[in-house]
Amino acid sequence: MLPSDGRTWREAGMLSLDGSPLDRGRITRVARFGEPVSMTSEAWARVAAAHRAAERAAGRGPVYGRNTGVGANRDVAAGVDGHGRRLLRSHAAAGGAPLPEDAVRAMLVVRINQIAVGGSGVSPRTTRALLRMLNTGALPEVREHGGVGTGDLAALAGTGLALLGERPASAPWVPMGRFPGTDALALVSSNALTIGRAALVVADLEPLMRVATVTTALSALACRANPEAFSAEAARAAVAPGAATVARDLRELMGPVRPARVQDSFGFRAAPQVQGVVVDALADLAAHVGALTATAQENPLVVGEGVVHHGGFHMAALTLRLDALRLALAQAAPALLGRLRALSDPEVTRLPAFLATGSAGSSGTMIVEYTAASAYGVLRAAAAPASLETVVLSRGAEEDASFAPLAVRQSETATTALRTLLACELLTSLRALAMRGSDTAVFHRAWHAFRAQGGGDADTDDRDLQADLDAAERALPQLGAPPVPRSDPVPERSEASGF
């Protein structure tokens, strides 16, 4: 993710926001690697024009949150003096643990880009303060609980208080000074935190799904699975773009195989289908998140010289896509568990049970299957649809919610569990192939990545596998890199050799 010439993003340049869609790569560079951010002159012009239009509209009549209360107080005229600060203070309380810095930075870059679209009415003064906050790393503390998918109110209100110096920042911060009171609701009327976190989920899951294809190929090679299941003809029968992509990648990774069986268990035979569903769900989510970063959804929305009161901030579509992704992950995981069972079965591999070469009754990699099952339980629990939740708030004025923040939190949990599952398959399949011996490029590449992280002890007697499992998880990011030369020795086939 860093520039190819070795510089940091701060040295290489900056992201200039203009209200166009932000892909997960750009959000990740800002959120995790500190790429600085600016705004184009055209975006600044839209921000200023929208702010002026919102001020004029509030001068002509009621505008929600600018000269009225909010929620059930929507019909109550609000005094001008101090109304904005009161809104920020009254909406800033949140619960749970503080979120990591990358989530906060993702929230800020998404919010600034949304403002650049020109529909929020946030003033240039507040927008400049947000840019300064992001670029200096003087971040607000944002807590886990405070939104239900109709706006990240507590997170953004707390950010507003940090802008004003009423809350501490994570680095020295000079408060912005005069705060246009009418900016308060315009600032917090956004799901920027949820959208930013969803973008990071996509950024984390895309390489993991490439890794999933690699570990599937390694397991298939170790078990000499029939490659007909990955043929172009079989992929066409699935009628799913993702299945065709996975099948193609498996063919390229595995190369020619002399199968041991006419037909394999579903863990191999249906791998393109179940993984392809995840690939398609992830692509759909990525496209939707990108569009959300460049859409003005604030309520009220500034349109021309007037405002529109609406419910476009309701994140039902995002929640459903996040739910679909987690359900896809949960339905794909049993196939991985099936491959682990196959790798432990001497009738499938023609290797010792549990890939153990010690005394009779040795357990070998048996515990790895239990660890994977534990992670699967977490992944499956995280798949419960957040879209089935709802709540009635503010004296009935808001009688529904999408619970998109919950869907994001569950997706983060599922991503962590998936890493463990993939590490378990990587460790077990590499051990099987090391015992059998393999000249395939995918094995050498995976073996090199695993060895580079400290894995690959040659002792296959019963021993503590924690270091190997940790090394396998650390190796996962490297498996998307181009093949590397075989600088590490690779075990030859031998009953006594192994890991």
Side-chain angles (χ1 to χ4, degrees), residues 120-205:
S120 69
V122 171
S123 69
R125 173 185 288 269
T126 299
T127 307
R128 281 192 293 272
L130 287 170
L131 275 168
R132 179 164 60 92
M133 172 175 275
L134 178 58
N135 286 332
T136 61
L139 305 178
E141 180 182 85
V142 176
R143 300 219 180 177
E144 184 177 13
H145 302 298
V148 292
T150 56
D152 294 315
L153 304 179
L156 289 164
T159 299
L161 293 182
L163 291 175
L164 298 175
E166 294 191 16
R167 279 194 176 182
S170 61
W173 171 253
V174 177
M176 63 176 287
R178 185 176 66 82
F179 175 68
T182 51
D183 275 4
L185 183 67
L187 172 64
V188 306
S189 184
S190 162
N191 294 279
L193 174 62
T194 301
I195 295 166
R197 290 173 72 185
L200 295 180
V201 166
V202 173
D204 287 339
L205 275 175

Side-chain angles (χ1 to χ4, degrees), residues 201 205 208-209 212 274-275 277-278 322-337 339 370-386 406-425 476:
V201 166
L205 275 175
L208 287 180
M209 290 315 300
V274 296
Q275 291 184 28
V277 172
V278 183
L322 287 163
D323 284 353
L325 175 61
R326 294 194 316 282
L327 287 165
L329 286 169
Q331 63 81 41
L336 188 154
L337 295 177
R339 293 192 294 274
Y370 284 73
T371 300
S374 174
Y376 169 62
V378 172
L379 193 155
R380 183 173 178 175
L406 173 60
V408 168
R409 193 176 311 119
Q410 291 172 293
S411 300
E412 292 167 343
T413 299
T415 301
T416 301
L418 179 62
R419 286 193 186 96
T420 299
L421 282 160
L422 292 173
C424 289
E425 183 170 24
L476 297 181

Side-chain angles (χ1 to χ4, degrees), residues 237-450:
V239 196
T245 298
V246 172
R248 180 201 64 209
D249 292 346
L250 286 171
R251 292 196 303 273
E252 293 176 356
L253 288 168
M254 292 174 61
V257 175
R258 180 178 295 177
R261 290 159 297 280
V262 171
Q263 186 161 277
D264 295 287
S265 60
F266 278 13
F268 299 105
R269 186 158 35 116
Q273 287 71 30
V274 296
Q275 291 184 28
V277 172
V278 183
V279 171
D280 289 338
L282 191 55
D284 187 36
L285 174 62
H288 187 65
V289 169
L292 289 175
T293 67
T295 302
Q297 294 182 317
E298 297 86 353
N299 178 47
L301 177 65
V302 180
V303 180
E305 287 298 308
V307 297
V308 173
H309 294 87
H310 67 104
F313 51 82
H314 193 293
M315 291 287 97
L318 177 60
T319 305
L320 284 167
R321 285 172 170 83
L322 287 163
D323 284 353
L325 175 61
R326 294 194 316 282
L327 287 165
L329 286 169
Q331 63 81 41
L336 188 154
L337 295 177
R339 293 192 294 274
L340 286 178
R341 286 193 295 274
L343 289 166
S344 298
D345 189 345
E347 292 190 6
V348 176
T349 63
R350 302 304 177 190
L351 295 169
F354 303 110
L355 306 178
T357 57
S359 303
S362 292
S363 298
T365 58
M366 181 188 295
I367 192 60
V368 178
E369 190 175 352
Y370 284 73
T371 300
S374 174
Y376 169 62
V378 172
L379 193 155
R380 183 173 178 175
S387 51
L388 295 180
E389 303 292 339
T390 190
V391 70
V392 178
L393 299 168
S394 194
R395 293 166 46 199
E398 298 171 2
E399 76 281 20
D400 187 29
S402 72
F403 279 89
L406 173 60
V408 168
R409 193 176 311 119
Q410 291 172 293
S411 300
E412 292 167 343
T413 299
T415 301
T416 301
L418 179 62
R419 286 193 186 96
T420 299
L421 282 160
L422 292 173
C424 289
E425 183 170 24
L426 177 62
L427 170 62
T428 311
S429 61
L430 283 179
R431 181 164 175 152
L433 284 170
M435 294 173 70
R436 180 185 300 284
S438 175
D439 287 327
T440 59
V442 65
F443 171 64
H444 289 295
R445 180 158 60 95
W447 176 264
H448 179 90
F450 180 58

Side-chain angles (χ1 to χ4, degrees), residues 6-97:
R7 295 176 296 165
T8 67
W9 283 114
R10 288 191 177 277
E11 295 167 334
M14 64 172 58
L15 172 62
S16 186
L17 301 177
D18 62 0
S20 298
L22 294 176
D23 63 33
R24 54 275 190 202
R26 284 186 285 180
I27 292 173
T28 301
R29 292 199 300 268
V30 174
R32 293 177 173 165
F33 300 100
E35 181 179 6
V37 173
S38 65
M39 265 177 41
T40 64
S41 57
E42 294 82 4
W44 281 116
R46 287 194 295 271
V47 170
H51 178 63
R52 291 191 299 267
E55 295 285 85
R56 288 192 291 267
R60 294 192 297 269
V63 176
Y64 180 76
R66 285 184 173 265
N67 53 22
T68 75
V70 297
N73 290 330
R74 62 190 181 277
D75 294 324
V76 179
V80 175
D81 293 339
H83 176 51
R85 285 180 181 258
R86 289 195 300 273
L87 273 179
L88 293 180
R89 291 166 181 164
S90 63
H91 283 71

